[in-house]
Amino acid sequence: MKNDPRIKEYRYLEQLQNYIQTAEKRYVRGNSAPFIYPKQLEIHLPSDRNTPCNLACDHCFSTLYKKELGRWETEGLKLLHNLKGAIPYSIFGGAYTEPAASPFLFPYLETVKHYGNHFGVHTNGTYLLDLEKQQRFLTNVYEISTDREDYISVSLDAGC
């Protein structure tokens, strides 16, 4: 592992080990073992509640899922507020949804940044141009981003 040629952002085990060593240890009443919150919270927003994903890629493993969409976004925002920044990374993606199609994406990103945490967004990219034209979405994401830890990842093979 010491000679791992990958950039540090892809060395997940090393990141996790560093996090566990430096994370705040909390104690739950009745348990002597420390509790450490997870390093990241993965959030799969239910797109626009109508269409799970606007693409139908043959290679996507989402073809194996039931594509149910819920109405839990406000509860999820409450959860982020209740956690008060205890989980340092929130990653927005979709097993069968497209996070950029959700009207809740930017409020979630703002909430993450409110608590001094970082975000990652994994998208197929098809909505980004329209979102920028209509809402200055990318400009606003750039403005709330605090460093290189915040990112948007665009799939290179979406729609193939």
Side-chain angles (χ1 to χ4, degrees):
M1 288 300 276
K2 291 185 180 187
N3 296 323
D4 190 338
R6 296 175 297 163
I7 61 173
K8 67 179 175 137
E9 289 81 7
Y10 288 157
R11 290 184 247 147
Y12 303 118
L13 179 59
E14 185 179 306
Q15 289 178 35
L16 184 58
Q17 289 169 331
N18 290 338
Y19 173 72
I20 289 172
Q21 290 173 359
T22 60
E24 179 184 346
K25 314 291 189 275
R26 299 167 193 247
Y27 291 88
V28 178
R29 191 177 330 169
N31 191 346
S32 62
F35 172 78
I36 299 173
Y37 277 100
K39 180 179 179 260
Q40 76 180 39
L41 179 62
E42 192 165 323
I43 302 167
H44 295 257
L45 293 171
S47 297
D48 61 1
R49 294 184 176 163
N50 295 316
T51 306
C53 180
N54 59 322
L55 300 178
C57 303
D58 291 335
H59 62 277
C60 184
F61 61 87
S62 72
T63 57
L64 305 173
Y65 294 134
K66 288 172 44 178
K67 295 179 176 67
E68 297 171 343
L69 300 172
R71 294 185 171 274
W72 52 265
E73 299 96 334
T74 55
E75 289 299 313
L77 280 170
K78 288 179 192 175
L79 173 64
L80 285 180
H81 285 293
N82 288 337
L83 287 167
K84 294 182 168 104
I87 300 175
Y89 292 87
S90 292
I91 308 301
F92 300 89
Y96 57 83
T97 62
E98 172 50 44
S102 173
F104 286 88
L105 179 57
F106 198 79
Y108 269 83
L109 299 178
E110 284 181 310
T111 302
V112 167
K113 297 314 294 179
H114 173 78
Y115 292 104
N117 292 348
H118 298 287
F119 63 79
V121 179
H122 297 269
T123 175
N124 65 30
T126 57
Y127 291 97
L128 295 179
L129 182 59
D130 287 339
L131 285 171
E132 180 61 22
K133 287 178 182 176
Q134 297 165 5
Q135 305 168 14
R136 298 186 64 231
F137 177 78
L138 294 170
T139 301
N140 291 328
V141 168
Y142 177 77
E143 287 176 0
I144 66 168
S145 178
T146 51
D147 57 34
R148 294 178 58 99
E149 299 282 320
D150 300 319
Y151 67 88
I152 295 177
S153 168
V154 179
S155 173
L156 295 177
D157 62 354
C160 295

